[in-house]
C-alpha cells in the first residue's frame, strides 16, 4: 500500500516548481496588453504608483502603439534591471501590411528604430538572441504576457494574461514556445530582475 506522498510521485527538488505571486492586472483596451504587463511587474516589485506610471507614459510618449522596446525603456525609467532579447534590432519591414501595424507603420518604424539606436546610450539593455523561426501564419500579431513560474515535473509554465482579470493561466512549454517563436513576435523576451 502506498502512502499519499508516495502516490504523488517523487518529491520535488528545489527549483522544480516556482510560482511567483505576481498580481493580475487586466488590460483596458485591445492595444494595452504590454502596459498591463508592465503594471503587473512593477506592482510585484513594489514600484507601482499609478500617477507615476501615467507620468512615465507621457514622458516616454507611449500611446496606442506599444512595442517591446517601449517596455524596456519603461523598466529603465523605473530603475528596474532588465534585459531585452529579440530577433530583430529594429522594425521588421514584413509587418507593414499586417492589420495591427498597417495604419501607423511608417511613423512607428522611424520611432522604434530610433529607440533601438539610442538604447545603449539610454542604458536600455538590448541584445539579439536565438535563431530566427519563420513559421506559423503571418497574421499572428503576438500578445504580451507575464511569466510567473513553472512546474518542471509536468512541463508547464504559469503566466498572467492581461486579457483576464480573474485567473492565472498555464500551458505546456511546447505550446508556449510555439506561440513565442511565431512570426509577428520577433521572439521578444523582456527579462526583469528583482535586484534592481
Amino acid at each position: 500500500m502506498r502512502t499519499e506522498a508516495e502516490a504523488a510521485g517523487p518529491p520535488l527538488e528545489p527549483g522544480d516548481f516556482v510560482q511567483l505571486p505576481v498580481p493580475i492586472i487586466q488590460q483596458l483596451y485591445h492595444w494595452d496588453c504590454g502596459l498591463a504587463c508592465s503594471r503587473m511587474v512593477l506592482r510585484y516589485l513594489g514600484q507601482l504608483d499609478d500617477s507615476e506610471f501615467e507620468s512615465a507614459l507621457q514622458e516616454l510618449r507611449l500611446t496606442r502603439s506599444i512595442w517591446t522596446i517601449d517596455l524596456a525603456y519603461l523598466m529603465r525609467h523605473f530603475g528596474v534591471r532588465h534585459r531585452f532579447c529579440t530577433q530583430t534590432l529594429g522594425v521588421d519591414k514584413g509587418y507593414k501590411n499586417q492589420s495591427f501595424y498597417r495604419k501607423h507603420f511608417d511613423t512607428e518604424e522611424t520611432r522604434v528604430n530610433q529607440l533601438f539606436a539610442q538604447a545603449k546610450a539610454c542604458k536600455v539593455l538590448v541584445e539579439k538572441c536565438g535563431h530566427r523561426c519563420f513559421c506559423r501564419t503571418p497574421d499572428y500579431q503576438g500578445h504580451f504576457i507575464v511569466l510567473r513560474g513553472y512546474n518542471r515535473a509536468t512541463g508547464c509554465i504559469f503566466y498572467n494574461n492581461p486579457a483576464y482579470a480573474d485567473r492565472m493561466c498555464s500551458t505546456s512549454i511546447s505550446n508556449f514556445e510555439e506561440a513565442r517563436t511565431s512570426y509577428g513576435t520577433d521572439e521578444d523576451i523582456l527579462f526583469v530582475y528583482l535586484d534592481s
Side-chain angles (χ1 to χ4, degrees), residues 8-177:
L12 292 174
E13 295 294 323
D16 282 349
F17 180 88
V18 173
Q19 193 174 100
L20 301 174
V22 178
I24 298 169
I25 297 176
Q26 188 172 23
Q27 65 191 78
L28 300 175
Y29 309 100
H30 74 281
W31 54 267
D32 70 335
C33 57
L35 297 179
C37 288
S38 295
R39 286 179 186 268
M40 290 184 222
V41 168
L42 292 169
R43 182 161 295 153
Y44 172 72
L45 296 173
Q47 297 187 29
L48 182 62
D49 173 276
D50 287 329
S51 61
E52 250 185 81
F53 190 81
E54 293 302 322
S55 177
L57 296 183
Q58 289 178 1
E59 185 178 325
L60 296 170
R61 296 186 203 137
L62 301 182
T63 57
R64 288 179 163 224
S65 180
I66 304 296
W67 296 63
T68 312
I69 188 74
D70 292 314
L71 304 182
Y73 272 81
L74 190 58
M75 291 300 116
R76 173 69 182 114
H77 178 88
F78 283 97
V80 174
R81 191 164 71 90
H82 66 280
R83 185 178 63 159
F84 170 29
C85 295
T86 183
Q87 283 296 320
T88 310
L89 298 174
V91 174
D92 181 337
K93 289 189 178 290
Y95 298 162
K96 185 172 188 158
N97 294 318
Q98 289 195 359
S99 60
F100 185 77
Y101 298 103
R102 189 178 303 131
K103 189 175 181 182
H104 303 287
F105 185 84
D106 294 330
T107 307
E108 285 299 288
E109 179 182 26
T110 301
R111 182 185 75 79
V112 170
N113 284 336
Q114 284 176 345
L115 289 174
F116 274 95
Q118 299 166 355
K120 187 173 183 180
C122 294
K123 297 185 176 161
V124 173
L125 180 58
V126 179
E127 53 188 73
K128 187 170 175 138
C129 303
H131 304 286
R132 187 69 190 186
C133 174
F134 293 101
C135 51
R136 319 296 169 254
T137 166
D139 296 334
Y140 185 75
Q141 298 166 351
H143 179 61
F144 290 103
I145 61 170
V146 177
L147 293 184
R148 61 184 282 181
Y150 60 89
N151 183 331
R152 191 170 302 189
T154 62
C156 74
I157 60 164
F158 306 113
Y159 64 96
N160 289 354
N161 181 345
Y164 303 110
D166 60 349
R167 69 191 82 150
M168 175 187 69
C169 302
S170 67
T171 191
S172 69
I173 292 172
S174 60
N175 282 348
F176 171 73
E177 278 298 299

